Amino acid sequence: MAANMFPLIIFSCFVFSALVHLNLVNGLSTNYYDSTCPNAESTITSVVKKAMLNDPKVPAALLRMHFHDCFIRGCDGSVLLNSTGNNKAEKDGPPNISLHAFYVIDNAKKAVEALCPKTVSCADILALAARDAVSLSGGPTWDVPKGRKDGRVSKASETRQLPAPTFNISQLQQSFTQRGLSMEDLVALSGGHTLGFAHCSSFQNRIHNFNSKQSVDPTLQSSFAASLQSVCPAKNTAKNAGANLDSTPTTFDNRYYKLLLQGKSIFSSDQSLVTSANTKALVSKFATSQQEFQKAFVKSMIKMSSINGGQEVRIDCRVVN
């Protein structure tokens, strides 16, 4: 009898541990608001769509905002909190100074609060807005698991944990591994750079004084490097000078990977993806097939956006309750 029970005990323990893991790591559901706020998603989508019509840079801003939120304390909306008299918040940390379009989340929250007061978290609104940013830009759509809670802590000093545009492949791998993300997740999520714009300061290390022997990063295609130098001279004073992250900056496609293989990436961290055989193979795969890229991107987005650590549902996304 005891011998027969042993496999059952092992199986029961496995199921229990799997359920505990699911609750602790995810604890989220795609139908979380079906009964409490059934029109939340369509309301958020309408707000994002309206903002996009007024400003084509909104999708890239929302996607980046979601990444930067998830990589600090999990996807808890802490990036949305304002600094207070005695605390400098994440949004005012050096890597986040250029984040914008917070008003879109504010508008979505206001609209959702009118429908379902104190129900939908700011963290969920940001996750849904990031999904809408992708799908409304021609990318894939997906069911976002929901049920995140909003965090009460936001510290500018913790933004040092964000992967920098100057990171090499080892640094990127460490950053992603610490968050339970794989190398495939790294390459797939880097594809978010198909949307948006980069200021000169984030890539000047590649086009001026690259090292003691070379002024320009030799992995940059020469005419592309020259074009970057023309918009970002060594003593650049133009505050908003920079370059688009790929040649179709408002369309979510696989152009980013194609350009990466041609030596036309913007960040050192982008270029680092082709310095490892494993990641370069994925870059080539995604450059060849937009369908494979989109499938991997959706999978990795769901995985990343399921990292959560909040405690409440904020009434105002900029202030703790």
Side-chain angles (χ1 to χ4, degrees), residues 71 160-164 167-183 186 272 279:
F71 263 70
R160 287 188 297 244
Q161 300 170 28
L162 288 167
F167 270 14
N168 61 34
I169 195 66
S170 298
Q171 291 169 311
L172 288 171
Q173 182 172 10
Q174 182 180 16
S175 178
F176 275 65
T177 301
Q178 286 171 348
R179 292 159 178 84
L181 299 171
S182 67
M183 293 300 271
L186 163 63
S272 73
T279 53

Side-chain angles (χ1 to χ4, degrees), residues 2-312:
N4 290 337
M5 284 294 290
F6 184 72
L8 182 61
I9 292 168
I10 293 294
F11 177 74
S12 299
C13 289
F14 171 78
V15 171
F16 177 74
S17 65
L19 288 172
V20 169
H21 178 74
L22 182 67
N23 288 334
L24 290 177
V25 177
N26 295 327
L28 306 176
S29 165
T30 54
N31 59 1
Y32 190 82
Y33 297 115
D34 281 7
S35 58
T36 57
C37 198
N39 294 319
E41 292 201 36
S42 59
T43 301
I44 294 163
T45 302
S46 295
V47 171
V48 173
K49 192 179 289 186
K50 182 179 178 182
M52 281 177 63
L53 292 173
N54 292 326
D55 181 0
K57 298 188 296 293
V58 160
L62 294 174
L63 187 56
R64 184 166 175 244
M65 193 187 298
H66 182 48
F67 284 157
H68 284 219
D69 185 36
C70 295
F71 263 70
I72 304 297
R73 292 176 163 266
C75 313
D76 67 345
S78 53
V79 74
L80 305 171
L81 288 170
N82 283 348
S83 294
T84 59
N86 58 359
N87 179 65
K88 192 174 180 182
E90 287 173 32
K91 64 166 61 169
D92 292 321
N96 286 342
I97 293 296
S98 59
L99 289 182
H100 63 102
F102 291 101
Y103 72 91
V104 180
I105 305 303
D106 293 335
N107 291 347
K109 178 63 170 172
K110 184 177 179 181
V112 170
E113 282 294 305
L115 292 175
C116 328
K118 304 177 183 179
T119 303
V120 182
S121 68
C122 299
D124 273 348
I125 290 173
L126 180 52
L128 288 162
R131 186 272 314 273
D132 292 339
V134 170
S135 61
L136 292 171
S137 298
T141 190
W142 62 94
D143 285 333
V144 175
K146 295 166 286 291
R148 296 165 192 78
K149 293 293 187 283
D150 296 321
R152 295 181 55 84
V153 177
S154 182
K155 296 181 181 294
S157 59
E158 293 183 351
T159 59
R160 287 188 297 244
Q161 300 170 28
L162 288 167
T166 54
F167 270 14
N168 61 34
I169 195 66
S170 298
Q171 291 169 311
L172 288 171
Q173 182 172 10
Q174 182 180 16
S175 178
F176 275 65
T177 301
Q178 286 171 348
R179 292 159 178 84
L181 299 171
S182 67
M183 293 300 271
E184 181 164 3
D185 296 322
L186 163 63
V187 180
L189 293 172
S190 293
H193 288 167
T194 182
L195 296 177
F197 175 89
H199 290 94
C200 296
S201 58
S202 61
F203 59 88
Q204 64 183 2
N205 63 304
R206 301 188 73 195
I207 57 173
H208 301 293
N209 303 313
F210 179 69
N211 59 31
S212 59
K213 294 182 179 180
Q214 294 167 300
S215 175
V216 176
D217 182 344
T219 63
L220 276 172
Q221 198 261 354
S222 57
S223 61
F224 181 68
S227 70
L228 294 180
Q229 286 178 318
S230 69
V231 293
C232 299
K235 295 182 179 178
N236 174 59
T237 55
K239 185 181 176 183
N240 294 319
N244 291 324
L245 292 176
D246 79 4
S247 54
T248 54
T250 59
T251 302
F252 194 92
D253 55 22
N254 64 341
R255 186 71 59 87
Y256 162 81
Y257 298 104
K258 294 179 180 181
L259 294 173
L260 183 47
L261 292 173
Q262 296 169 22
K264 296 179 180 178
S265 60
I266 298 294
F267 302 134
S268 297
S269 57
D270 294 326
Q271 173 59 29
S272 73
L273 299 181
V274 297
T275 61
S276 150
N278 289 342
T279 53
K280 186 175 182 179
L282 288 166
V283 169
S284 298
K285 178 182 176 183
F286 297 155
T288 303
S289 171
Q290 183 153 296
Q291 186 177 5
E292 287 295 327
F293 160 50
Q294 292 190 351
K295 188 169 70 173
F297 184 83
V298 167
K299 181 181 174 185
S300 295
M301 276 293 283
I302 291 171
K303 188 174 173 183
M304 181 196 72
S305 69
S306 296
I307 308 168
N308 189 31
Q311 299 84 38
E312 64 184 20

